[in-house]
Amino acid sequence: AASGDSAGPGLQWRWLRPSAVGALNTTFAYNVLPGPAWDGRGLTVAMDGGIVATWGRFRAQIDPTFFASENASFDLAPNGLTGTGTFRDARFPKEIDFPQRFGAGTYSRLDPGNTTLSLDLSPVLVGLSSAAQSWGPAREFPLVLSANSGGFRNAFLATKAPLDLWLVRLHGRLIGGTLEPSGEATPVPNPLRWATGVALTLMPRGMDGLEIGGSRFVSAFSESGIPSLANVRRLFSRGLRATLNTSTDDNISTENQLASVWFRWAVPRTATEFYGEYYREDYSLDLRWFLQYPDDLATYVLGLQHVCDLGDGRLRALRFEIVNGELSSSNKRQRASDPYTGRTMLDDPYPPYLHYKVLYGHTNHGLLLGSPEAYGGAAVRAGWDDYDSRGRTSFTFERQLRFDWLPGTPSGVTPHPDVIVSLRAERFRFVGDREFGVTVMPMLDLNRDLHAGQDRFNLAAAFSMRGFR
């Protein structure tokens, strides 16, 4: 919702309702709410607001976000580096831009936020955007693109509404944009990456409520970070061949490619939906290898949701979702010695979102474009949401396996898995044209950084306001 004024019959504009969020972590960093803000230890504040204007077929929404995190110190998992290198990722500090901590002091950034410029060319939209995107059916753990990191700068071509092709209805989006590093990333000559992606959803005729979809995403380093038409065409190359190292091959070793297929079925008259997504990092070596090892470099999500009518305008949604990005046996050793590839870099297991030549992985500004829980780990969330005319109340139980090994673990030593168990309680309330929200999330990190019995309690909390002008 927005409020404001207009200027004549041609140009229409209004103010977007501003919002502010304050988040707190007592012991270690944990992102309480998704978005470009990084919630370090201590207090983090974020604010956004702006304007939206339309003029004929043109629409402009300017909605930047500013955040600042106290970023107090906390114990980091050892990664084999010293100095500022200790802030980098625990397992792959030189091969992914996913810091444990963003520097030693206050961390702040101005992000373009949910800013979009679009032109309506019905039945499609074209434009420029930095808005957050969530691809696939998952509510809790989207695998290819999620709201976890906010958005990134991109040009897009998208259907305005599903296109009726008689046998199916088709909904799609094609993007090309620029991914940027954080200040903690491994230095490289050209730190920008171009990125292209496509997502398609098919709704078959005669099968009400069924959606079948897929997506593909490609990124690589470049001097400008701006994708070319040739880079866009890479989205439509074949996906099972594993020929390597030439510009004409399907698999180019200097690119990070990933893809997923999914389904969602909202069963008619049952108020229940089931969904799942299967995600692959890079290519199968060939069809034979895929049939042998379907879990090789793969991740999956399964979920369901059921809505109950409680009467008097009240609804309750029961939900359950699980993601598994743990490393298969083929990731850990067998691929390293496979004669098809010659890729010796897999002497250590590689999780999703990481590529041995695209050193920053599937990230933007140091945050994962997908779901952090899928980064070589696993998680489950189960909860319910109560809706009424006054707002929403939610309770969610979560168990998250962060990781189960670190570099340099002595041979024969079994690390104790680092697991977070938490309970999230949320209340969002409408007061006039304003919205207030409170999130409280006590959590226990068992065997933090794989140290047996090193358990840490963290209280994560957030308070949000929207429309407070």
Side-chain angles (χ1 to χ4, degrees):
S3 60
D5 204 348
S6 62
L11 176 65
Q12 304 289 324
W13 66 273
R14 60 188 183 274
W15 296 109
L16 292 170
R17 294 190 302 164
S19 68
V21 177
L24 175 70
N25 282 296
T26 60
T27 308
F28 50 80
Y30 189 91
N31 271 22
V32 186
L33 301 174
W38 181 75
D39 300 337
R41 180 175 175 239
L43 180 64
T44 300
V45 294
M47 296 176 289
D48 75 270
I51 190 172
V52 60
T54 58
W55 185 31
R57 293 177 176 265
F58 178 75
R59 183 179 186 275
Q61 176 173 303
I62 311 299
D63 187 18
T65 296
F66 174 79
F67 73 87
S69 175
E70 183 181 353
N71 194 18
S73 65
F74 59 95
D75 292 336
L76 304 176
N79 60 12
L81 301 182
T82 59
T84 58
T86 60
F87 298 135
R88 297 180 192 167
D89 181 62
R91 289 174 293 182
F92 295 93
K94 298 179 181 179
E95 296 168 301
I96 190 169
D97 183 20
F98 186 43
Q100 303 178 68
R101 186 182 176 203
F102 287 78
T106 300
Y107 175 56
S108 62
R109 186 163 61 85
L110 177 63
D111 188 88
N114 290 317
T115 293
T116 300
L117 308 177
S118 64
L119 182 63
D120 186 346
L121 299 177
S122 294
V124 299
L125 298 172
V126 296
L128 304 173
S129 180
S130 61
Q133 303 179 63
S134 185
W135 288 9
R139 167 188 168 132
E140 308 287 347
F141 311 115
L143 296 180
V144 175
L145 288 181
S146 75
N148 172 69
S149 65
F152 61 93
R153 295 178 296 162
N154 69 91
F156 67 87
L157 169 67
T159 53
K160 184 178 178 181
L163 305 178
D164 190 348
L165 305 179
W166 196 79
L167 285 177
V168 297
R169 288 185 297 149
L170 172 67
H171 210 14
R173 190 176 188 91
L174 176 69
I175 63 172
T178 301
L179 301 178
E180 300 177 73
S182 75
E184 308 305 319
T186 301
V188 298
N190 298 312
L192 297 178
R193 287 157 291 154
W194 61 261
T196 58
V198 62
L200 297 173
T201 301
L202 302 176
M203 289 152 275
R205 187 180 184 89
M207 302 188 70
D208 293 343
L210 178 62
E211 300 178 7
I212 301 171
S215 64
R216 199 170 188 184
F217 195 93
V218 185
S219 64
F221 285 117
S222 72
E223 186 172 343
S224 66
I226 300 175
S228 64
L229 290 178
N231 299 147
V232 175
R233 288 198 298 269
R234 296 293 298 146
L235 292 167
F236 306 99
S237 61
R238 288 172 290 181
L240 282 177
R241 288 180 53 190
T243 52
L244 298 173
N245 299 327
T246 77
S247 60
T248 59
D249 286 331
D250 294 321
N251 190 4
I252 297 177
S253 62
T254 55
E255 292 178 350
N256 188 20
Q257 293 219 20
L258 47 92
S260 77
V261 292
W262 68 73
F263 78 93
R264 176 192 285 117
W265 190 20
V267 183
R269 296 180 297 279
T270 66
T272 303
E273 67 171 0
F274 305 88
Y275 55 86
E277 184 172 11
Y278 174 79
Y279 165 102
R280 290 296 299 261
E281 187 84 19
D282 290 320
Y283 287 77
S284 292
L285 302 175
D286 53 30
L287 181 59
R288 186 174 186 274
W289 184 274
F290 174 76
L291 295 175
Q292 285 182 283
Y293 302 106
D295 59 342
D296 180 35
L297 298 174
T299 302
Y300 69 83
V301 163
L302 293 171
L304 63 87
Q305 183 171 226
H306 176 71
V307 177
C308 307
D309 188 345
L310 303 180
D312 298 326
R314 296 179 298 137
L315 297 174
R316 173 170 294 169
L318 307 175
R319 50 187 165 80
F320 175 87
E321 190 168 306
I322 185 171
V323 62
N324 192 330
E326 291 185 82
L327 303 160
S328 69
S329 59
S330 56
N331 288 70
K332 292 179 179 177
R333 295 297 173 200
Q334 295 175 25
R335 223 183 216 260
S337 59
D338 187 83
Y340 289 106
T341 65
R343 289 167 66 183
T344 58
M345 79 291 179
L346 287 177
D347 288 338
D348 284 324
Y350 266 41
Y353 304 143
L354 189 145
H355 187 275
Y356 76 116
K357 285 193 175 181
V358 185
L359 299 182
Y360 295 167
H362 191 52
T363 67
N364 186 52
H365 286 297
L367 298 176
L368 289 171
L369 293 170
S371 295
E373 296 82 359
Y375 176 48
V380 60
R381 287 180 185 166
W384 73 86
D385 309 298
D386 284 352
Y387 298 89
D388 57 34
S389 60
R390 296 176 298 174
R392 171 173 66 88
T393 303
S394 301
F395 293 93
T396 306
F397 168 79
E398 178 178 341
R399 180 188 182 274
Q400 175 189 345
L401 170 65
R402 292 180 66 215
F403 48 77
D404 56 6
W405 70 276
L406 284 173
T409 301
S411 178
V413 174
T414 302
H416 296 263
D418 185 325
V419 173
I420 293 179
V421 180
S422 60
L423 178 65
R424 181 190 295 257
E426 296 179 296
R427 175 59 172 161
F428 290 86
R429 183 77 178 266
F430 303 125
V431 180
D433 62 352
R434 295 172 174 81
E435 176 186 317
F436 298 89
V438 176
T439 300
V440 179
M441 191 175 181
M443 62 181 65
L444 183 62
D445 191 341
L446 303 172
N447 307 317
R448 183 164 178 83
D449 301 334
L450 308 183
H451 294 294
Q454 182 174 282
D455 303 339
R456 296 290 183 268
F457 175 81
N458 180 54
L459 179 62
F463 176 74
S464 64
M465 301 179 292
R466 180 174 293 277
F468 54 84
R469 290 195 310 119

